[in-house]
Amino acid sequence: MSLRVFIPRDAGAVAVGADEVATALQRAAERRGAVIEIVRTGSRGLYWLEPMIELATPAGRVAHGLIAPGDAESLVEAWLSAADNHPLRLGPVEEIPWLKRQTRLTFARCGVVDPRSLDDYRTHEGYRGLATALTLGPERIIEEVVNSGLRGRGGAGFPTGIKWRTVAQAQGPQKYIVCNADEGDSGTFADRMIMEGDPFVLIEGMTIAAIAVGATKGYVYIRSEYPHAVAAMEAALGAARRGGALGRHVADSSYDFDIEVRVGAGAYVCGEETSLLESLEGKRGVVRAKPPLPAHKGLFGRPTVINNVLSLASVPVILDRGAAFYRDFGMGRSRGTMPIQLAGNVKHGGLFETAFGITLGELVDDIGGGTASDRPVRAAQVGGPLGAYFPRALFDTPFDYEAFAARDGLIGHGGIVVFDDTVDMAKQARFAMEFCAIESCGKCTPCRIGSTRGVEVIDRIIRGEDRTTNLEVLEDLCNTMKFGSLCALGGFTPYPVSSALTHFPEDFGATPKHLVAAE
Ligand SMILES: Cc1cc2nc3c(=O)[nH]c(=O)nc-3n(C[C@H](O)[C@H](O)[C@H](O)COP(=O)(O)O)c2cc1C
Ligand code: SF4
């Protein structure tokens, strides 16, 4: 009897023993004289169940979760005897409620396919978007992306199609596609999951972007903390080149396009697009003043599309299924789906892709299952280190760019970090300022100096020194950073600080002045 088992190669699964589980299963099968084929996939994103492995059966894949190497013998024994009562059996994968509730458009293949096999990608509807793109041509590709309503998933939510149109219309002997895979936001890992679990979808998205704007060269800028993603991308790029999906005459068309991986040296600010371009050019990651926009003068001074991994990875399904299909999901001006990442002190941490419009409360309480510590949820920080802290009172906020902005928050890259009632929000506010001080590129004064002064002022408030005056100073400082900083690192740091002060004044030892005034 032969067994076919799918085991994630994803860094999150490997960190909790997926490689050892694979080895133990291989040995257990060999000991019984059974043939076992182990396919290494990406993760399905149910991280609290990793290593989660899947057995191929005539009725589809059956999941088993929280597997340790010591479970290998009993698992193989159960599988060979066709018993379906192993205590770690979770049932048919597609029926697991956490997965069933999702709308996986960008992540449709993640955890399903072998990320190193171009054939597997093609078998699972891969490269259909590119095929459509080649029949449409540049202008109509851009029209589709504009009409889909896709907005940048890296943080700012800028319409992707409009950005592409600007680059398409820009003049230049050379244009570039740059994929921002720096993924520095706290609690985020969706870019990493795509690169490790379905790298061809990113390659396909970048190729479509290249055809749309007339670029022949692309770069994927990956943070150095992602060695598994770097390896997966390199393997996929090699396979794509060998398979004719990259290089001269991509997919037998008249277009040429190739992609290189570049590894960053580890700085949050290198995720900021102009700083990233500096870094790609081999310089220190310092933010550039805008204008000129990267779309006009980007990498090496040439017109450049710079997009987040998720923005680019969402393009193939848009081209394949059509703009109308994609924009049918979502609410308001937030169209399509968002791969939301649940992290921090949460019971069910992982990747949950769903249409925009779901509320923060549903995500934290229902899908996330509350805190891992089983204590009450007190706050959630959404959108990375520059995102606001939302108290429970704001948990009715729908996941939508405008709804979050209306409450002085941002959805950013879709990361949610959950905190229980033991969190000290004054410390969190201090941390936001300290983070900014450490990560500041130093180019502008409000951020470079303001963040350091901010830490000092918060320390004085925490110590109870002249609270009223120091709260006023902090408010003034926050306004200076907000309106005087060159980029969003200095400009958005006030949001976590002010939200902590506004919603959790008790942690600062006194009611902030502006709250007293409002009473
Ligand atoms: C300090 C800072 C860090 C950022 N980090 C990232 C990042 O890690 N990944 C990312 O895609 N965008 C990041 N951004 C946003 C980028 O500047 C840019 O908006 C994005 O790459 C554009 O792609 P999109 O339109 O597809 O979102 C960051 C912005 C700032 C100000
Ligand atoms: S806000 Fe901070 S990170 Fe941004 S340009 Fe100014 S100093 Fe650099």
Side-chain angles (χ1 to χ4, degrees), residues 294-320:
H296 293 129
K297 280 190 169 193
L299 188 62
F300 303 115
R302 305 296 185 206
T304 303
V305 166
I306 174 157
N307 272 133
N308 174 252
V309 172
L310 300 181
S311 318
L312 291 160
S314 300
V315 168
V317 71
I318 292 170
L319 269 295
D320 180 26

Side-chain angles (χ1 to χ4, degrees), residues 151-158 160 163 180-185 191 268-274 306-309 311-312 386 413 487-489:
R151 292 167 72 175
R153 305 290 190 234
F158 188 81
T160 305
K163 189 182 280 189
N180 189 339
D182 199 53
E183 196 163 54
D185 281 1
D191 295 350
Y268 181 70
V269 79
C270 282
E272 193 282 333
E273 57 187 15
T274 61
I306 174 157
N307 272 133
N308 174 252
V309 172
S311 318
L312 291 160
L386 310 175
H413 187 46
C487 86
L489 180 47

Side-chain angles (χ1 to χ4, degrees), residues 155 185 334 338 356 382-384 398-401 404-405 409-415:
D185 281 1
S334 306
M338 184 72 194
F356 285 97
V382 185
F399 225 77
D400 161 63
Y401 293 100
F404 264 74
L410 59 121
I411 63 172
H413 187 46

Side-chain angles (χ1 to χ4, degrees), residues 362-415:
E362 279 173 273
L363 285 162
V364 172
D365 295 324
D366 187 11
I367 290 150
T371 63
S373 57
D374 274 329
R375 298 184 64 92
V377 173
R378 183 154 186 245
Q381 187 181 26
V382 185
L386 310 175
Y389 288 97
F390 274 27
R392 291 206 69 95
L394 298 184
F395 274 21
D396 60 346
T397 313
F399 225 77
D400 161 63
Y401 293 100
E402 279 65 40
F404 264 74
R407 291 178 162 181
D408 282 336
L410 59 121
I411 63 172
H413 187 46

